[in-house]
Structures are given as structure tokens and as C-alpha cells.
Amino acid sequence: MSHQLLIVGTVAFDAIETPFGKTEKILGGAATYIGLAAAQFKKVDAGIVSVVGDDFPQANLDLLTQNGINLDGLEIVKGGKTFFWSGRYHNDMNTRDTLDTQLNVLADFQPKVPAQFQNAEIVMLGNLHPAVQLSVLEQIKNPKLVVLDTMNFWMDTTLNLLKKVIAKVDVITINDEEARQLSGEYSLVKAARVIRNMGPDHVVIKKGEHGALLFHNEEMFFAPALPLEEVFDPTGAGDTFAGGFAGYLANSKDISFENMKNAVIYGSNLASFCVEKFGTERMQNLDKKESKERLKHFKALTQFEINLTK
Amino acid sequence: MSHQLLIVGTVAFDAIETPFGKTEKILGGAATYIGLAAAQFKKVDAGIVSVVGDDFPQANLDLLTQNGINLDGLEIVKGGKTFFWSGRYHNDMNTRDTLDTQLNVLADFQPKVPAQFQNAEIVMLGNLHPAVQLSVLEQIKNPKLVVLDTMNFWMDTTLNLLKKVIAKVDVITINDEEARQLSGEYSLVKAARVIRNMGPDHVVIKKGEHGALLFHNEEMFFAPALPLEEVFDPTGAGDTFAGGFAGYLANSKDISFENMKNAVIYGSNLASFCVEKFGTERMQNLDKKESKERLKHFKALTQFEINLTK
């Protein structure tokens, strides 16, 4: 109860095409990836607020609960169909086309935060309609930290509402192109400053294979993405990053800037696993020892010894 | 004499257009940028092997010698015209069009390494025709470390000769697209392995604003580019990086992998200054204290405290 992390976001079906192959409808959704990443932290009690239809398989529900994720806030709509997204990645794996989006039960979703999660200290608002994110914030009593993830779709379609959410959060995570769109600035340093002025004290700009930048006041921190032999499927990498970030903060109960640096590293570390297989496959049974082992690579990749006192 | 760095590369006129403005013919060239970067290291005795025409102003020669760069190996061709390059950067500053290239005196250049530099311990082969690079290597007696910088133009036009040079060097620095072209691999991890098999023990892949990767055996190190408010002119950033890298190694007389990590950081640090003004302007009078001060930003940007022994 004491390390609660409330997660809002889609629980979905995805159909994915990459240069390496294509999938049928598989488990996906922002909240799913965030939850599986947060499940890596043993003190974290994570709960998802979301909605699915009754076409959503019991096996998927079991998978989430077996990872310790509380589903009391997951509404199952009788006769409803689960949100579906389908996309095709280009050869560079950095860009993709959306082939199909079926909102289904998401269209009329009214989120209800279970009573036992209304005091959650950390809230992770995964990518979803800003109205849903706002409704969840109104049901939360006194969060220590609210982290928002969003995307260009909401900037294009419902910017004013999105800005209301942005004004209420402590951390926003978005990708580089979205940061440029939201701020009107090309330089990410300038973009982060403009976005901080919209509300959040901390801005995380995700650059995919080029890593992530954390901004706070005039300070910056950078975490690279681990260079991999092969990126198999980038789907969910950004959500996994966000889940690792929020999960680490919930686990350590320390929301200082110094500790957020570590959270960015943990998020990057978990995202490096996510992309190694299709969908959630790699994250479903990720061994905690294995993820800790890979952190050593992040240290070796970035740490150097230059003595500046000489 | 004991910390010699031999630099081969163009000394040139550039005319540059960026979204921020355009220049007339100004001082440019790979060897120029490399030399100015290496001039930041006080123990380094740097000498340039290159060629210019007698249209090259005395003021430019003075600028280089005032920065402690030895020009005994710089041939001045009477009645000849200096190499000229002109380019226009796109709005993203990551891509550019070449508007004009006039080889001029470079077309028939036969490099002559001055006697006092034939024992140089570190040789930096800046971007230039592979035949010139090869000729310089044949005049060098017993270098401890040879660093090669090259570009896609030579891969397109004289690949076999370029591969002969690659087979003889210890470190190659190229950008990400060039690494992909040279290796036929999209993944930079795989690309670096293929390129190491061509000869060099170390591969540095420059990713511009996304930083630089150093590969050696199965080890990797990454240095970000410092996120800047504004990139004014990227011309010479890659050469400045290479000059900082080679200059730091020459200065410290330590070519271990651990020390090469520092060299990559120093190279990135100097490159972050280069792009702040047009051409060589920022590097001409860069204060050593200022560049040391900025290293602190690199530390703050990348260093974190995760204890993995717990």
C-alpha cells in the first residue's frame, strides 16, 4: 500500500508490422507496457485504470495480475470491443504509419479510480484522451508526483484540454518532434523551457534510439538508448520507458532531481528490452536479475573519469 | 617535440549558408578545424600537411601559427587557387546540399611530411583523398596511433583505395550514415563490428547532434553532444571532434580504451563550441578555461549514481 503507483492508459490489441515480420492481434496498450515495466520494482503496488471489451482474453488479464498489477480499476464492458491499433514500421524503425485505429470501448470511457488507489503517491498518466487524464486527476487526493505521457494526436485534436492537463502535472514525457510541435521551438533546450512554463517542473524528451533528455530548471541530464544489434519492434518502448521511470520513483520514494536521473536510466534500460521482441513478449517474463545486469552496460556506456579539479 | 600530432587534411575556403545567414569565402578545411581543436592541448606540437594557393591570405596563415600550429608541411602553390567548398544547410541543420566544390591545388597534391614530423606518435588523417592519406602513412616512421576521418564521397568514388587506408589505421571516425554505407549494416553495433574487421581496432561513429559512439572489441562508450540553445553552423564540427579526440590522446600520451573515452568527451566538448558561430570563428580564440568549464556540463549531463553492488 505504501508504494502505490496509479497507471492510466490504454489496454489494447495491437497488430504490428515491422521489417522482421507481422503479428495478429496481440496484447498492447500504454497502460499494459507501463504496468509491465513498473512490475520490475518489487516494492511497487501498481494499479491500472482503463477499459476493455469482453473480447479481451482472460489469459491477458491473468498475465497482468501474475505480474502483480492490480486490475480493480480495469472496466470490462459487456458486449464491447477492446481498443485496437494497427501500424507498420518503416525500414528505419523510427517512423511508422498507422493502418487502423478502432476506439471501440474507449470512445465513451469514464475512468473510475478504485478507492484504495485514490491516495496513490505517484500517478502515471499514460497516453490517452486528455479528458480521461483530467478526470483521473480529479479523483486523486494528494499525489506527490504526477507524470504525463502524451502524443501529437492530442495536440492536433484537443490542444486546449491537453494544456489543462499539462498545467497540472509535475513531469511530462514526450518525444522530440512532439516537444517541437508543442513549444514551437526547434532547439530542444528552448522547447523544454517553453514547456516548463506551461506547468511541469520536469520535462523528459524521448528521442527513441537517440536516448532521452531530462530538463529541470536550468539543469539537464541525458541517458542514451543502449545500442542494440537489432531493434525488432519499437512498439511500447516509450511507454516502457515511462513505466520504468515512474516505477523506479515509486519504488525509491525519492523524487529529487538526482534520483530522477537514475529513473531515466532505469526507464532506458527497460525500454532496451522491450524492443528486442514483438509487442510485450520480452517484458512479460523479464527477469529482475537480467535487467539489473544490463544496467552495468549503461554504466560502462556512459561513465568516464575526467578529474576537473586539477 | 615529444607530443607530436601530425595532421593531414584540407586547408580551404568555405562559403556557408545556414538558416541564420550566409558567409563570403571564409577560412575552412578539415586540417584547419582539427588543428584549432588540437591547439587546446598545451603539450601538443601539431603540424599540418596540406596545400593552398597563393590566394590564401597571410592573415589565415598567421592565425594558425599563432595557435601554435606548425605549417612547415603546408605547401603554397604559386599561381594556384585554394580548395573551395560551398554548401547550404537545411532547416534541421543535420543535412546539407553541396553547392560548389573546386579542387584547385588539391587536384595534384603530393603531400610531403616535414622531416621533424616523420616520427610523430599520433597521426590524424583528416578527410581528404585516400591516395594522399596513404602517401602520408608511407612517410611516417613508427606512429603509435593513426586516426582516420573520411566520408561517403570517397566510398562512392574510390572505395578500394579507401579500404587500403582503413586497413592501416587504428581508429576510424565516420558518421552514422557512412558507417552504414561502408558496412552494409543498418545497426550501428553490427556496422562497427564489420568495420573493425576491415582493420581498425577502434571505430568512432559520429551522430552529429545525437552524440558519438566509440567501439573497441565488444565494448562501447557513448558521448552525447551537448544540447545547445542554438546550433548556428555545423561546419567543421566533425573535424573539431576528431581534432579534440586526437589532440587529447597526443597530450596525455595514453591510448588505452579508458583514456579514449575521455578523448571522445573532449572531442564532443570542443565540437559544442565550434557550432556556436560561423566557420572557425568560435574556435579561433577559444579560451582553455572556458572549454574546461564546459566539461563540467558534460559530467552533469551524463554522470549518475546507481550502486549496482547492492
Side-chain angles (χ1 to χ4, degrees):
Chain A
M1 288 296 286
S2 54
H3 293 259
Q4 284 192 323
L5 171 65
L6 181 66
I7 299 165
V8 191
T10 52
V11 174
F13 289 131
D14 287 345
I16 303 160
E17 230 179 295
T18 83
F20 297 101
K22 65 190 281 189
T23 70
E24 300 297 303
K25 277 188 179 185
I26 57 172
L27 173 63
T32 305
Y33 284 101
I34 293 168
L36 289 173
Q40 287 290 311
F41 303 94
K42 58 185 173 190
K43 292 180 195 159
V44 173
D45 178 19
I48 285 179
V49 170
S50 191
V51 64
V52 291
D54 59 8
D55 58 346
F56 196 72
Q58 185 63 39
N60 283 353
L61 299 173
D62 293 346
L63 170 72
L64 295 171
T65 51
Q66 279 155 17
N67 273 280
I69 301 166
N70 182 300
L71 298 183
D72 290 352
L74 180 69
E75 188 184 338
I76 301 176
V77 178
K78 278 208 177 137
K81 287 182 72 182
T82 300
F83 171 61
F84 172 68
W85 174 83
S86 167
R88 181 190 295 134
Y89 289 87
H90 302 160
N91 280 330
D92 68 0
M93 289 285 194
N94 281 324
T95 50
R96 68 186 186 192
D97 294 324
T98 290
L99 303 176
D100 195 6
T101 306
Q102 297 171 18
L103 283 183
N104 298 332
V105 293
L106 217 55
D108 304 309
F109 177 44
Q110 305 285 340
K112 282 166 215 76
V113 177
Q116 77 270 30
F117 275 98
Q118 289 173 6
N119 289 302
E121 290 194 336
I122 312 266
V123 179
M124 177 71 232
L125 301 175
N127 180 41
L128 202 62
H129 198 297
V132 173
Q133 295 174 324
L134 214 49
S135 165
V136 166
L137 282 187
E138 283 161 4
Q139 298 173 55
I140 298 295
K141 292 194 174 133
N142 193 21
K144 270 174 65 183
L145 191 83
V146 179
V147 183
L148 167 69
D149 190 57
T150 188
M151 69 183 290
N152 52 0
F153 181 77
W154 309 114
M155 298 174 197
D156 295 337
T157 57
T158 176
L159 182 60
N160 284 339
L161 201 57
L162 176 61
K163 283 190 172 171
K164 277 193 192 174
V165 183
I166 291 173
K168 289 174 185 288
V169 306
D170 305 291
V171 185
I172 180 172
T173 77
I174 47 177
N175 77 29
D176 42 0
E177 284 317 308
E178 290 157 355
R180 287 173 173 138
Q181 178 175 349
L182 184 61
S183 65
E185 291 285 353
Y186 187 82
S187 154
L188 298 179
V189 177
K190 289 185 178 177
R193 189 176 299 136
V194 170
I195 296 169
R196 285 205 319 276
N197 284 334
M198 295 176 179
D201 273 347
H202 306 83
V203 175
V204 177
I205 299 181
K206 300 175 289 183
K207 304 200 295 169
E209 62 162 328
H210 299 303
L213 279 161
L214 166 65
F215 294 88
H216 173 58
N217 297 328
E218 291 306 307
E219 294 185 277
M220 280 187 291
F221 178 70
F222 175 80
L226 193 68
L228 294 170
E229 296 268 330
E230 212 73 86
V231 170
F232 201 76
D233 171 19
T235 308
D239 301 314
T240 300
F241 172 87
F245 177 83
Y248 177 79
L249 294 176
N251 195 67
S252 58
K253 284 196 167 232
D254 173 357
I255 57 171
S256 67
F257 180 64
E258 281 307 309
N259 200 49
M260 273 195 204
K261 294 180 179 180
N262 295 347
V264 168
I265 294 289
Y266 272 87
S268 299
N269 187 45
L270 291 175
S272 79
F273 288 101
C274 178
V275 302
E276 289 183 337
K277 294 198 174 173
F278 266 123
T280 60
E281 194 182 340
R282 189 70 174 92
M283 297 304 293
Q284 285 179 18
N285 302 296
L286 179 60
D287 185 77
K288 288 185 182 67
K289 277 185 194 156
E290 198 175 10
S291 73
K292 192 173 170 183
E293 191 60 32
R294 191 171 286 185
L295 279 172
K296 292 181 187 164
H297 292 288
F298 272 89
K299 278 200 122 169
L301 185 66
T302 56
Q303 305 302 286
F304 58 86
E305 299 288 343
I306 293 179
N307 185 346
L308 293 173
T309 55
K310 287 191 289 194
Chain B
M1 287 298 284
S2 54
H3 293 260
Q4 284 192 324
L5 171 66
L6 181 67
I7 299 164
V8 191
T10 52
V11 174
F13 289 130
D14 288 345
I16 303 160
E17 230 179 294
T18 83
F20 297 101
K22 65 189 281 190
T23 70
E24 299 297 303
K25 277 189 182 185
I26 58 172
L27 174 63
T32 305
Y33 284 102
I34 293 167
L36 289 173
Q40 286 290 310
F41 302 94
K42 59 185 172 190
K43 292 180 196 159
V44 173
D45 177 19
I48 286 179
V49 169
S50 192
V51 63
V52 291
D54 60 8
D55 58 345
F56 196 72
Q58 184 63 38
N60 284 352
L61 299 172
D62 293 345
L63 170 73
L64 295 171
T65 50
Q66 279 156 18
N67 273 280
I69 301 165
N70 183 301
L71 298 184
D72 291 350
L74 180 69
E75 188 184 339
I76 301 176
V77 178
K78 277 205 178 143
K81 286 182 72 182
T82 300
F83 172 61
F84 172 68
W85 174 82
S86 166
R88 181 191 294 132
Y89 288 88
H90 302 161
N91 279 330
D92 67 0
M93 288 285 193
N94 281 323
T95 50
R96 67 185 186 192
D97 295 323
T98 289
L99 303 176
D100 195 5
T101 306
Q102 298 171 17
L103 282 183
N104 298 332
V105 292
L106 216 54
D108 304 308
F109 178 44
Q110 305 286 339
K112 282 166 215 74
V113 178
Q116 77 270 31
F117 275 97
Q118 289 172 5
N119 289 302
E121 291 194 334
I122 313 267
V123 179
M124 176 71 233
L125 301 175
N127 179 42
L128 202 61
H129 197 297
V132 173
Q133 296 175 325
L134 214 50
S135 165
V136 165
L137 281 187
E138 283 160 4
Q139 299 173 55
I140 296 296
K141 293 194 175 135
N142 192 22
K144 270 174 66 182
L145 191 84
V146 179
V147 184
L148 167 69
D149 190 55
T150 187
M151 69 183 292
N152 53 359
F153 180 78
W154 310 114
M155 298 174 199
D156 295 336
T157 57
T158 177
L159 182 61
N160 284 339
L161 201 57
L162 176 62
K163 282 190 173 170
K164 279 194 191 173
V165 183
I166 292 174
K168 289 174 185 284
V169 306
D170 304 291
V171 185
I172 180 172
T173 77
I174 47 177
N175 77 28
D176 42 1
E177 284 318 307
E178 291 157 355
R180 288 174 174 137
Q181 177 174 349
L182 184 61
S183 66
E185 291 285 352
Y186 187 81
S187 155
L188 297 180
V189 177
K190 289 185 178 177
R193 189 175 301 135
V194 170
I195 296 168
R196 283 207 319 277
N197 285 333
M198 295 178 179
D201 274 346
H202 307 83
V203 175
V204 177
I205 299 182
K206 300 175 290 183
K207 305 199 298 170
E209 63 162 326
H210 299 304
L213 279 160
L214 166 67
F215 294 88
H216 174 59
N217 297 329
E218 292 305 307
E219 295 185 276
M220 279 188 291
F221 178 69
F222 176 79
L226 193 69
L228 295 169
E229 297 267 330
E230 211 74 85
V231 170
F232 201 76
D233 172 18
T235 308
D239 300 314
T240 301
F241 172 86
F245 178 83
Y248 177 79
L249 293 176
N251 195 67
S252 58
K253 284 197 167 230
D254 173 357
I255 58 171
S256 68
F257 180 65
E258 282 307 309
N259 201 50
M260 273 195 202
K261 294 180 180 179
N262 296 348
V264 168
I265 295 288
Y266 273 87
S268 299
N269 186 45
L270 291 175
S272 78
F273 287 101
C274 178
V275 302
E276 289 183 337
K277 295 198 174 172
F278 267 122
T280 59
E281 194 181 341
R282 189 71 173 89
M283 298 304 294
Q284 285 179 19
N285 302 295
L286 179 60
D287 186 77
K288 289 185 182 66
K289 276 186 194 156
E290 197 175 12
S291 72
K292 191 172 170 184
E293 190 60 31
R294 190 171 287 185
L295 280 171
K296 291 182 187 165
H297 291 290
F298 272 88
K299 279 201 121 168
L301 185 65
T302 56
Q303 305 302 287
F304 57 85
E305 299 287 343
I306 293 179
N307 185 347
L308 293 174
T309 56
K310 285 191 292 192

